[in-house]
Amino acid sequence: MANVAVIGAQWGDEGKGKIVDWLAERADVVVRFQGGHNAGHTLVVGNMVYKLSLLPSGIVRGTPSVIGNGVVLDPWALKAEVEKLRGQDVTITPDTLMVADNCALILPFHRDLDALREDASGDGKIGTTRRGIGPAYEDKVGRRAIRVCDLAHLDDLGPQMDRLTAHHDALRTGFGEPPIDRAALIEQLREIASFVLPYAQPVWRMLGDARSAGKRILFEGAQGVLLDVDHGTYPFVTSSNTIAGTAAGGSGLGPSAVGFVLGIAKAYTTRVGSGPFPTELADATGERLGERGHEFGTVTGRKRRCGWFDAVLVRQSAAVGGITGIALTKIDVLDGFDEVKICIGYRLNGIELDYFPAHYADQSGVEPIYETLPGWQESTAGARSWADLPAAAIKYIKRIEELIRCPVALVSTSPEREDTILVRDPFAD
């Protein structure tokens, strides 16, 4: 049986939470391998709604869940999320939640720096969640990060603190902020260490043992390929690689462990924050998509920008992201449209393109070339087989497959986990 990696094929917010929850019931382990608590997953299980930012989606089902070393971890956000879920009767123990002991930490001054930079950037704002994700990754690659394992050795942290404060105090001075209070920071870390350390372990060993035992591993990505720091709409991207290749390095398993890569894509397109968006609809149709799709960010509450499905972008995501099959979500949001459109190419300065260019100016300047298909008036909500779908909806899905050059493996027809059409079982490959 294959292991499965789940990644977003657009700009995030594609409905990964439901799909991972659906798959987690059949997995033995679920692993988050990149990002931080800037991610947002909403799970609907019966009458309960769970909103996750940092914890792997498998935690709600009691599936052993791992926060891998590729994640940057805000320990206070972790504690708050665990306590919130416990309040919803979710059992979380060191047997169900494991945190890589080599995770880099997000600290209070990372959040400060994130906000200070964003406020000072004027028209150059990236649209970050201001949660310190980028600055924490910077410290990680700058070899000055404090990691989970350091929480057990706070009395030996002097040299690391020297490197950290030498960098950040200079930045803080430039913004008119006082230097880091080292003593106060160490005390904060002592307080949170007693909560975090029971979950900490060398998860690469546990995952290696699970793989050797033939257990199914589900790798859970955050954000989407179009927010990848290399392959996304730079600079309006996240601070990590969101492609499936990151699952190997971000979990401590080799690339051969990843297996089937399931890319999640909405049946239309959304984006939160700044950056290019070729098919964005700033009209009544865009408003209708947003209202029907309840398009507000799980983490920030920000209204999402909405537009038609962009086959060029998803085709590119499938290629660079290593996607084996697509899970198409929210097809029911398109119910009732007289016609639906798919972007099949771009026009830039009179030249047609079949790919999304790398430069921001070109990305902002492309005009979408649309193909129009008939809509459907029947409801797709709750459909669980092809026979339940209108013929026009099936034609729409099949056309998307052709254009993105990647098969559709799953179709989601509502937030309910069972309202899913299984075309190809990722775990069976």
Side-chain angles (χ1 to χ4, degrees):
M1 308 301 286
N3 296 325
V4 178
V6 175
I7 62 173
Q10 294 161 316
W11 279 292
D13 306 309
E14 301 98 346
K16 290 187 293 296
K18 172 197 166 168
I19 302 300
V20 172
D21 175 56
W22 189 84
L23 291 168
E25 191 174 46
R26 304 172 60 218
D28 298 300
V29 186
V30 181
V31 190
R32 267 286 305 274
F33 60 83
Q34 48 77 220
H37 65 306
N38 55 340
H41 293 164
T42 300
L43 312 184
V44 179
V45 183
N47 295 324
M48 294 294 291
V49 177
Y50 304 94
K51 293 185 181 293
L52 308 180
S53 296
L54 182 58
L55 292 171
S57 297
I59 199 74
V60 171
R61 296 281 171 186
T63 305
S65 298
V66 173
I67 295 176
N69 58 276
V71 173
V72 283
L73 180 80
D74 184 322
W76 296 277
L78 175 66
K79 183 179 181 182
E81 193 167 327
V82 166
E83 291 176 344
K84 179 182 177 183
L85 284 184
R86 283 176 174 163
Q88 293 182 281
D89 297 324
V90 177
T91 300
I92 301 176
T93 71
D95 291 325
T96 59
L97 176 64
M98 289 136 275
V99 177
D101 54 6
N102 52 343
C103 267
L105 296 179
I106 299 174
L107 302 172
F109 55 80
H110 290 133
R111 296 192 296 269
D112 294 344
L113 181 58
D114 207 353
L116 288 166
R117 283 174 169 169
E118 193 75 349
D119 289 339
S121 293
D123 292 338
K125 281 185 172 63
I126 300 296
T128 77
T129 58
R130 299 171 178 253
R131 298 197 170 201
I133 311 298
Y137 271 119
E138 290 176 39
D139 280 351
K140 178 180 177 178
V141 299
R143 295 167 294 180
R144 53 183 173 265
I146 295 174
R147 303 188 298 170
V148 168
C149 55
D150 291 319
L151 296 175
H153 299 274
L154 291 175
D155 291 336
D156 302 320
L157 212 55
Q160 197 74 351
M161 288 293 291
D162 290 342
R163 287 193 292 273
L164 198 61
T165 56
H167 177 78
H168 280 275
D169 285 351
L171 292 173
R172 292 173 68 87
T173 297
F175 282 111
E177 295 293 315
I180 294 169
D181 186 332
R182 291 173 58 149
L185 176 61
I186 293 295
E187 187 56 36
Q188 287 178 292
L189 292 173
R190 284 193 199 282
E191 291 176 1
I192 199 65
S194 61
F195 175 82
V196 176
L197 287 174
Y199 300 102
Q201 63 169 280
V203 300
W204 61 270
R205 291 184 62 198
M206 184 276 286
L207 291 171
D209 290 344
R211 186 187 179 197
S212 296
K215 294 186 176 180
R216 293 171 169 176
I217 301 172
L218 180 60
F219 300 92
E220 179 182 3
Q223 290 91 33
V225 173
L226 299 176
L227 291 175
D228 185 279
V229 69
D230 288 308
H231 300 289
T233 48
Y234 193 90
F236 300 97
V237 292
T238 194
S239 299
S240 61
N241 287 111
T242 60
I243 58 174
T246 311
S251 64
L253 287 173
S256 61
V258 175
F260 192 102
V261 179
L262 184 65
I264 317 298
K266 280 177 182 164
Y268 51 102
T269 311
T270 64
R271 178 166 198 171
V272 170
S274 306
F277 185 170
T279 65
E280 182 173 12
L281 297 170
D283 58 13
T285 300
E287 286 292 322
R288 182 179 176 185
L289 288 171
E291 290 172 4
R292 295 203 60 188
H294 306 289
E295 296 297 352
F296 295 91
T298 301
V299 170
T300 62
R302 288 183 292 181
K303 185 177 180 181
R304 295 175 186 141
R305 301 152 63 190
C306 298
W308 293 119
F309 187 88
D310 191 327
V312 182
L313 287 179
V314 177
R315 181 171 65 239
Q316 196 158 320
S317 291
V320 302
I323 293 172
T324 312
I326 288 288
L328 194 68
T329 66
K330 291 196 168 185
I331 189 73
D332 54 303
V333 173
L334 298 180
D335 292 353
F337 281 90
D338 293 329
E339 60 181 30
V340 289
K341 295 184 179 182
I342 301 175
C343 175
I344 60 171
Y346 303 127
R347 190 172 288 107
L348 177 65
N349 300 324
I351 299 172
E352 291 191 7
L353 300 178
D354 62 355
Y355 67 96
F356 199 47
H359 196 277
Y360 168 69
D362 293 337
Q363 292 176 349
S364 300
V366 297
E367 299 175 12
I369 300 170
Y370 286 117
E371 180 177 302
T372 302
L373 283 78
W376 53 92
Q377 300 305 310
E378 307 95 319
S379 174
T380 64
R384 298 183 181 183
S385 72
W386 284 115
D388 296 330
L389 293 178
I394 295 174
K395 181 179 179 182
Y396 179 74
I397 294 167
K398 292 296 184 182
R399 183 58 178 148
I400 284 175
E401 282 187 315
E402 293 172 357
L403 290 167
I404 67 174
R405 300 170 192 165
C406 187
V408 170
L410 298 168
V411 180
S412 172
T413 59
S414 92
E416 297 290 338
R417 70 187 303 272
E418 299 302 332
D419 291 342
T420 304
I421 300 170
L422 177 62
V423 182
R424 180 180 177 187
D425 186 351
F427 276 124
D429 277 63

